[in-house]
Every structure is written in structure tokens, then in C-alpha cells.
Amino acid sequence: MELLIFYPLAAFTVLLALGVVFNNSPIGSAVSLIAMMLGLSGIFIVLHAHFLAVLQIIIYAGAIMVLFMFVIMLLNLKGDDKAWKIRERNLYLSIMTGVMVLLALYKMIDKVLDTTFGEGADVPDTFGTTVAVGTSLFTEYVLPFEIASILLLAAMVGAVVLAKTKVD
Amino acid sequence: MEPITAPIIDFTSLAPVLVLSVFAMMVLLVDLFIGRNKSVLVFISLVGLLCAAVSAFAKGTEIPVSSFNGAYIVDRLSIFFTMIFCMSSALAILLAVEYNKREGIRVGEYYSLILFCTVGMIVLASATDLIMIFLGIEIVSICLYVLAGIRRTDPKSNEAALKYFLLGAFATGFLLYGMTLLYGTTGSVKLATIAQLLNSGEVLAQPLMLLGVVLLVIGFGFKVAAVPFHMWAPDVYQGAPTPVTAFMAVGPKAAAFAAFYRLFAEGIPELAPTWQMTLSIVAVFSMFFGNLGAIMQTNIKRLLAFSSVSHVGYILIAVIAKDTLGSASLMFYMLSYAFMIFGIFGIIIILGRKGHENLELEHYSGLGFKHPLLALCMTMFMLSLGGMPPLAGFVAKFYIFQAALNEGFLWLVIIAVLNSAISFYYYLKVIVFMYMKEPIGEFKISLTPITLFVVAVGIIGTLELGIFPGPIIFLAQY
Amino acid sequence: MVNLAFLVPLFPLIGSIINGFFGLRIGKDWVGKIACGGPILSFLVVVLLTVSLFFHPEGTPYPELILFNWIPAGSLQIEFGFQIDPLSCVMMMVVTGVGSIIHIFSIGYMYEEYSYYRYFAYLNLFLFSMLLLVMGNNFLVMFIGWEGVGACSYFLIGYYFNKKSACDAATKAFVVNRIGDFGFLIGIFYVFQAFGTIDFSTVMAAAPTTLIYDSTTATLLTMFLFLGATGKSAQIPLYTWLPDAMEGPTPVSALIHAATMVTAGVYMIVRCNALFNLAPLTMTIIALIGGGTALMAATIGCTQWDIKRVLAYSTVSQIGYMFLACGVGAYTAAIFHLVTHAFFKACLFLGSGSVIHGMHHEQDIRKMGGLKDHMPITYLTFLISTIAIAGIFPFSGFFSKDEILYHALMDGNVIYWGMGISGALITAFYMFRLVFLTFHGESRVDPHVHPHESPAVMTMPLIILAGLALGGGLLGIPIIHGWHVLGNWLEPVVAFDWTTALHHSETVLASHGHHESFAELLHSKQVHEHSWWDISWELLLMAFSVCVAGVGIFMAYLFYIKFPDMPGKLTKGQWGFDMVQNKYYVDEIYDETIVKPTVDASYRLWKDADQKGVDGAVNGVAKIIGFMSKIAQNFQSGFVRNYAMFMVIGFVILLIVI
Amino acid sequence: MVPLSHYLILSATLFSIGVLGVLIRRNAIVVFMCVEIMLNAVNISLIAFDRHLNQHDGQIFSFMVMAVAAAEVSVGLAIIIALFRNRPTVNLDEFNLMKW
């Protein structure tokens, strides 16, 4: 049953990821990416990670991608990016790129298949719920949680410094 | 639903992080109420760094202390590195005072970003948990992206920030993937647990874990700028404002090395044959390509960038050596490297003027006759970088090589010594320019007291660590 | 008394600091006084130390002065300390004694030069480093000095910085030296790995029971150390920097390239004799390289026209002799020659400095001649030193060189001796060629130049050094037993316990299943010790080598006094009819069979092997590295995509490797 | 139930696609999006491992990854905006002031 949901979802995300890479217009890429995020959140649900699935939509698709869209609009980028197209001059480079990525992928999958994993544990109903993740977050992982706040603050300061209009 | 039991928070261990965060926010707030003169921010930042250093040092009597369920540790490594971070951040701030004034970078956030970055570095050096290491690296990186691009109107600075950012995010992907695989194959994010599990031999043969190790090498290799993940370094070093470059070459690199060491030597020592070999390859390439790259450079910042790549090669040997001596030599090397680099960048800043940074080697022609003392300092730093006894660089290298010999890596030592012989070729080039060429123009240098102070600190440190390294070595091995 | 040892390097260091920082303010006179004061005071302290060693109880370890614990790293505690033993005392005497004389000479020679104070600051710093090198009680302190002299010589050679050739020479000297230093440093690490310490006295005491005779470790370790020695001491294949280094001021050449730095390699080998004794293969290589260098540099010396270059090649050649001596295990002979060489070669260099000074910076001997009337003192001292280097009884060079030749034959074989004796012949020839061309014959001096004798501050050092060159042989009179002062003095340092060493090697090898017997070897070593001086052989060899030197001098006389145009014709290959008619028929055969090929060959050697081959190899390496650097540079394209690409390539490579 | 290896392969595939995108695209923003694909790919692995091991550590990790991604995006886009003000382009091949 899960497999039946998993395969279409996996195909969907892979296709959309390819769509991000091979789309001429930045907007198109961004939209593909949003859709891919949604697909991923579906996969998370298959994995019983409900809390993360929701976060995936809220943070990634909701916040991050909106920021992307916003900047693309702000900069008024046109779909003039033909960069990925193979050009005569860069033929060897393009071939090498392809070969390298495929090699890397092959090696990674090879390692996955070489590895024997035991039987997966049976998960309780509470797995992946907000309560379970939240409890863990506020007890065992309270320090990373707090440190992440410093990270966000620093990022905020940084973004303001770089993007504010007044040139000193 | 059960109520959550409040976690126990070890505030004394966290003190440096807390103190610095508070001071960083204070800098942000105060900046709102002052005008264009930012000296009060400098003062606050320095006080903050001092407090952080003191609070870390005060903890030194009862180490090692592990807290937060094994996510955070205060030990020899973390305290020593915290000292290096506080010192290098303070020096970076001091270097920036006059430089920023001269180049018109009136951004108060500069100081708070350096403090935030220091927080990240301390976290990185103290983290014993993959999540914490990841967060630490990200805090440091994000601050650096911004710092590299803080001269917003300078295209070079922009470009440096963009290159660093894109490649950094790319490398983060690899790092994260590596951590994930490590977590997945061992079932824990805590280094101590991972080490235990590996020790019991349950998960050793997992090919996926080796893939994870390689990915981690890439992620860390990028952060420390090791070949072939170093290519951002020359461009970013060149484009970033000089004090930031100095900072970048020392503090964050030291932090990355601290985490590098902790993750590999303390987390997965059982996998040593694999990662030692992988790192040996990276180290040899780093030394060699760093030196090769540096030989042809005419821009002093790029030259130093490549030279730092080759130094990364030497330092990686300390990680490879993995025992106590290895970590001690790592700390000692980073400390002496900090002194040298800040000294050199101090001189570089002194030689520049508004609008003319004078970064080409030919601008150094004849410095030996016009400003003999500055040239003498520069010569000392260069010789020290090359490993001339009895300067800090030599003792540091010697110490690392000794650690490697203890682990039986004679061949690595031979390659490293050969490379340090090659490296003299370009360090000498700087000296040749200073002493054996006619000046190309009049020297109009900005000899400012605070920058000079940094140079003095550098030279004193270089000499001290070279001639009387005993006490520091004792602290490092403590 | 040993506690005073720290003063020895301290005085020059203080001199250097004062001159370096305040030299401009205190005026030239004071600069000179301070600069000379340091070495002279050091010399006095060294004399005290040496005297105190006479009262050293036999059989106890020699005193060491530990200043502080330098690098306390793990199991290894490296102290910063000085070793006061007979060997280091001899070297300290030479360094401070000859050094002081050269400093005094410099006052006169450099008086007109720009930034006088800088020169003396470097010179004093050099002396400081050299003293560290000599006095260090472990390899690492020696290495500080080793690198220090390299750096100081760099600044001194490049002293005339506005001359491009001087800068190139300085850089070359430094870079070539670095290759040697690389070997030395690896050697140090090897010693550390084998012994667990790098303290001289401990390592040397432990050597017989740690290293196995003729084992790979012993051979490799000593080969690395020897590589270091070839760099510093300008031996094949790393000698090319020394002739170029003549771009520096002449007193610098005297100090660095005659008396002190270039002998560091010899000193190091003698200091580590216990290690080298256990590596017969390395010893053979050392002897061959030493002999080969002695011969080759001597032949090149025949073709040079620059007064200092002749002396430079002569230095390379003489140091070759010292290595030859080391290679056959005659360490005392090596040190003996080192000492006498310091005397006569310093005198020769300073003499050439005096000539150059008198000739207003003319260095080409073709533009000299007949100078003996203009500068009698310089001539006389130069002549004495030349006789000494040629090896004529009873000058100092005679004794030391003969001791080396004797040992080359007795402890080595005929080939070593043949190299040595032919080198001696050529040495006598080219040194007298130099004297004749410079001081004798008709004057070829530029009419605008008026040669004059140098002031007393320059001639006095010459006279002292000439006296030493004359009488230095007294240190080692071999015929009368017990009169080899230097031999007796150094005996405790070079003594080696063959019995223990070989027995230990046998035991260890046996425990590994290799049953090898060193009994025969041990017997030969023991027999050898008892027949140390075979007087009849010694006398025969002495007589022979004096004859050889005489022949060399006579040939030089024929060529450059009697028939001054002959060499020109010879080298041009114009075999004129009038020459056949010449009465000296024997000489012609001689010329045709030996001299002409030699001169031709040596010229070719210089042109091809030296300038293109060895020099080319050194430059070639630099070029290759430069070329590779260019390629490496091309990777740095500035495009983010390419950088990311290299990261992925690295990833894939690492994946394939594991 | 879906075997763990399926998730891992999906994750590796998405990761490679992200890498490919970084290597071939020239638009800085799109390159950045490809980096986001890489991070998301890793999240799949994290959660799949979690599910396999019945733990929550990986989900916390991936929570942190999201936080980091958000922070990176804000800074990264700010850099791009600052850059755009000086030179109105986001084509990476035009940012080539510093090389060799």
C-alpha cells in the first residue's frame, strides 16, 4: 500500500527536481521547486513524520519559496538563462559534468545497495507527531534549539546589513 | 499529555556563548543610538570578548565537563580554541577600526557579526553532537558570507560574498549528507555514542558509512579550504575587506579544524584507516597545489590565500595524527598561525591608503629601506610561515610532524618538509621585493597606532611561540 | 666555567641588535667597534672554555649548558643547550677567531659602502647563527643555526641589492640551501624516530646499540643528513650556489664561503660520526662525492678569470677533500683540514679583497699582473697562503692534506687517493696560475687604475692569517707520536666502540634469522687502530705529494710566467709549428696528453656540466615548478561553476579511492 | 512498507540532480534553488533513517536544516540583491573579476 503511494510521489519529485534544473525561466524553476516541496511533504507523510511534513509546507513552500519568488520579481528577472544548454565551446566540460554527476550518483546508489539494513523498527503511533518531536526538542535538544535562534538572529542582521538601501 | 520536565541547563559551561551573545545584541542596540563614530562599539565588543575569554578560562579547573546530554563539552580543546577565537576576533576588530574608517565602511553591525561569528566558533569547538556541529558551522558561515560582502558598493566584495555563499551552501549540502549517513548508519547523533557503537564493532562494515566519511571530508575540506575544495579561497580572500580576510584565515578556520578533529578523532576513530587515507590524499594535494598556486601570484592576498591552502595541508596532518599530541599540535599551530596572519595583514593594511590598497607585490619594493622595521616584521612573518627556526612557524610544524611520526606517518612528514622547502620560494619573493628592488613610487602609508599594535602583538607572539613555546605547549597538552 | 658559554653567541647578538637598530645614529666608528667587539669578546670566552676543558676529567661526559627547555612535546623534551666538548671548542675557536679577524678587515674594506651598519648587523647575526650551529647540544639547536646562517648569507650575498646578479645569486643560494635543509630536517626526524631523542650526546652514545650496521635505517638516515651537508657545504650536486655567491662583499666570502658556513656540513658529519660509521654505503658515497667534487671543482678553477671565482671553486674543491676524509672515517683529518683551510682560505679571500680594493673593484685577473710591487704585504701573505693550499712542506696545508691523502689510501682505496692526488696537482696549478697572473709578470692594469696597498686595518688581518696559514700545521705533526695535538684533542669525540656496535648488530640480525658475522670487519677495525701511523708509508706519500704539488707549480710557472701566451694557444687549439720546435719537448707531451685535455675538459665541464647541466638542473626544477604552477593557475578560472565542478571531481575521486 | 533503501536511493537521486543544477546553471538564484534541492534530498534520508530506527533525532536534525535553510536564504538573497544594485545581472559567468 505504502509502495503504491511512494513510487508516484518519488517519480513526481524527481521530475519536478529536473524541472527546476532544466527550466529556462527562474519563475518556472521556483514553481517547480514549490511543487517538489509539496511532493516531499507527501513522502514525509508516508514516513509517518507528520510534524515535519507540515513544517515542510509552512517553512519551505510557504516562507522560503515565497522569498525566492519575491526576489525574482523584485529583480525582474527574465527567462533568458540558457546556460544549461550544451554549447560547442563547452562540450567537453558539459560531457565531463554529466559523467561526473552520474558517476557520483552511481557510486552513492552502489553504496546504498551494498549496505545491509536490518528490519525496520515498528513505530508507535506517536512517532513523528508534534508532541513527540516537540518533547524531544525541548528536553534533549534544547541547546541546538537555542543556538538556532542565534543563527537566525545573525542571519537577520546580516540580511539587513546587505540589503538596506541607504549607502553609508 | 504529560508535562515536559524542564531540562537541566549548565550555564557555567555555556557562559562564553551567553556572554558573547549578550554583548553582540548590546552592540546592535547601542549602534542605533550613536552616530557615525563607532568606537564605543569597538570598546563593547572587546569587553565582551575579554569576558568570554575569562569565563572560558575560569572553567578550566574542572574539565572536562560534558553537558546537555552529551551535546556540549568543555575540555582542553574547546577552552584552548575559545582563547584563540577570542584573541583572533579581538585582533580582527582592532584591525578593522582604522581600516573601516579609512575605507568608509561605517557599519556598526560589523562588530556584532564578528561577535556572532565568535559564538558560532565557540559552539563549533565545543560541540559533541552532529546537530550542534552543523549549527555551529552555519552560524560561522553565515556571518562570514555577510562580512565578506560588507563593502556593499565594491563589486569585488560583492563577488567574493556571492562566490563564497554559493559554494559554501553547496558544500553544506555535502556536509549535511555526510552527517546524515553517519547518523543513519550508527543510529546516533552524539559523537560519544557513535564512538561507542563503532567500538563494539556492530556497524563497521557499512559501505554507506564510508560514503558518509567522504562526504564529511568534502564538507570540512571546503570550510578549511583544502584541495580540491579550496578554490573559493583565493577569490574570496582577495575580494573581502582586508580585516575580514585576516579573520577568515584564522578564526573560522581554527573552528572548523577543531570540529574536524573532534568529529574524526573522537567520533569515528574506529574508521581511522579510511579517513586517514582520505585525509592524507587531501593533505598532500593541499600542500602541493597550495604551494604551486602561490608561486605565480603577484597579489599578496592571493598569495597568502594559496599559502594558507598549503598550511591547511600541514594542519591536516595534525588531524590525521589524531592522538593527544595531534590535537595539541593542532592547537599550537592555529595559535601561532593566528599571530603570523594578523601580523601580516596588519602590515598589509598599514601599507594601503584610501582608495589604494597596494596589494600587488611590486608595491612592496624597497620597503626594506624606507621602513626597515615594518619590513623586518614582514620578513619575520614570512620566514615564520615558511618554517624558519626559531620562529613560531617552525615550532608549530615541528610539533605536528612529531605527532605524525608518533603515528608512523613518516612519508607524510617527508612530503610536508619537502613542501615547506618549496614554499620558501614564494615567501622569499616577498622578501626579495622588500629588500632587493627599487621602490616604484613614494610610500604613503597609513601608520596608525591601533593597527601597529596588532602587528606588534603578531611579532611578539611569533617570537614568543618560537623561542619559549614551553608554557603554551604545556597548556595545549594539559 | 661552562656557565659562561652562553656569552659566546650573546656578544655577536648584542652587537647585531645595537648595530641593526641604532647603527645609523651611533656613527660609523662606533658601528665598527661594536661589531668587532662582539666576536673578540666571544673569542676570549672561547679561549677560557677551551682551557677549562684541559682540566676535564677523562672518561666523564662533556659538560652541557642547558639554558631552558625549548620544546617539551610529549615524550620528547628538546632543550635549548650548548655542548662544550673538544670538537665544538675547535670550531668555536675557528669561528670566533677567524671571524674576528674578518670583522676587523671589513672595517677597512666596507668603509665607503652604503649602509655600513646594515652590513655589520648582518655579519654579527651571521656569527651568532654560526655559533648556535656549532654549539648546539642537539640537532634542533644546530638546525636553528643551520637555517640562520642560510638566511644571513642570503642577506649578505644580496648586500649589493641594486645589482641584479647579486639578488639572483642570493636567491639561488637560499633556495639551493633549502634543498639541503630539507634533507637535514628529514634526517633529524629520522633520528628522532630511530632514537626517540635528538640530543647529540645521547644519540651518539646509543648509536652502537640502536642502529644495525649497514641496515636500511642507518643508510637512509645518514643519507638524509648527508644531503643536508651537501647543500650547506656546496658539494655535488648542490654546489652551484657557491661560485655565484661571490657577488657578495669579499669579506663575506671570506667569512661565509671559506671559514664558517660551508664547513658546517663537515662539522655536522664529524659530530654524527657514530651514525655514519654504521652506514658503510653512505660512507662510500660521501667519499666518492667528496673526491669527485675535489677533482671537478679544481679543474673548473683552472678556467676562471675572476679572482674570487677561482677561490670559490677552490673552496668547493677543498671542502671536497674534507668530505673525502669523512668518507674514509678520518674525521680528525677532516677537522684538521677544516681548520687549516679556514686560515689559508680566509687569508686568500681577504687578500683578494685587498687586491680588489687596491684595484678599485676590478676582479678580472686578466686585467691585473705585476701587482707584487704595488702591494707587497698583500702579495706576500697571498703567496704564503697559496703555498699552504698547494701543500708544500712545512706550510699548514701540507700536513692536513697529506693526512687526508694518507687515510684515503690506507682506509679507502687507490681510487680515492687518485682523486685526491690529481686534485692536489691541479690545485697547485691553478692557485699558482692565480698568483702569477695577479702579482707577477707584466702589468695589464688599466692605465686609469692606480693599484695601491691597503691600509693597516686590512693588512694586519692578512698578516695574522698568513702566520696561521704558515704555522697551523703544528696542530698535527704526524711523524712524531703524540704530537698530533688535534688528534689527541679530538680523540674522545671520534672514538667509536666498534666491538659493541658490531656485536649488537650480529645479535639483532641473528634474532631475525640472518646469521651474519662481522668478526672479520671487527678484526680489521681493531688491527687498524693499532697501526694508526705507518711511518714509512706516510713519508713516502708525503714526498710524492710534495713532488706532485711541485709539478703543478712548475706547470703554472711555465704557462703563465715563462710562456704567457701558451695557455691561450692551447685552449684555442692552435697547435703552432714553433711550439714543436720548442726545447721543452717533454712538456709538450705533457701538455698534449694531460694539460690540454684537462684544460679543455675543465672548460667544457664548466660550460656544459656546470653552467648548463647542474646549474641547468637546478634552474630547470624551478622552471618545471613554475610551469606546473601556471597550469595549476589555469584551474582557478574564477567561475563558480568550475569551482563546484572541482569539488565534485574531488568527491568522485575520493569515492573511487576508498 | 517501503524499504529504507528506496528512500535512500530517492535521496541520492535528488541530491545528484541538485548537484547537476549547481554545475550547469548560470543564474545565481536558480543555482541557489538547486542547493535547496540538495538540502531537501538530505531531509528525506534523515527522516527515513528516523523511521527505520524509531528515533526522533533525525527529525530534530531536519528541523534544524529547515531553520538553517531559511537563514541561508535570507542572507543569500540579500547578497544577490546587493550585487544586483552594483551590476544588474545575476549571471554567474559575469562575476569573474577575481581569478587565476
Side-chain angles (χ1 to χ4, degrees), chain B residues 124-142:
Chain B
L124 201 46
S126 319
T128 47
D129 170 322
L130 294 178
I131 300 179
M132 286 292 286
I133 292 178
F134 179 67
L135 284 174
I137 282 190
E138 282 308 309
I139 295 179
V140 172
S141 303
I142 282 180

Side-chain angles (χ1 to χ4, degrees), chain D residues 3-75:
Chain D
L4 175 60
S5 55
H6 283 41
Y7 289 107
L8 295 183
I9 290 170
L10 173 65
S11 162
T13 314
L14 283 179
F15 191 81
S16 301
I17 293 173
V19 170
L20 184 72
V22 173
L23 293 186
I24 64 173
R25 293 304 298 254
R26 292 179 182 182
N27 184 322
I29 294 182
V30 179
V31 168
F32 192 20
M33 286 186 211
C34 295
V35 171
E36 293 300 323
I37 297 181
M38 289 164 67
L39 294 184
N40 273 297
V42 176
N43 277 350
I44 300 179
S45 288
L46 272 173
I47 294 169
F49 279 129
D50 246 14
R51 168 87 171 79
H52 185 77
L53 299 162
N54 185 20
Q55 288 179 346
H56 285 113
D57 308 33
Q59 292 175 61
I60 306 286
F61 208 149
S62 101
F63 178 80
M64 295 304 164
V65 172
M66 288 183 191
V68 164
E72 273 194 352
V73 168
S74 64
V75 169

Side-chain angles (χ1 to χ4, degrees), chain A residues 131 135, chain B residues 1-5:
Chain A
V131 172
T135 310
Chain B
M1 192 177 128
E2 289 170 50
I4 297 173
T5 39

Side-chain angles (χ1 to χ4, degrees), chain B residues 339 377 380 389 456:
Chain B
F339 282 121
C377 290
M380 296 259 236

Side-chain angles (χ1 to χ4, degrees), chain B residues 429-450:
Chain B
K429 205 160 86 174
V430 180
I431 300 175
V432 168
F433 269 98
M434 289 192 303
Y435 285 99
M436 300 190 176
K437 303 254 160 129
E438 294 291 330
I440 52 163
E442 215 177 315
F443 278 103
K444 281 188 190 151
I445 62 174
S446 27
L447 211 57
T448 43
I450 300 179

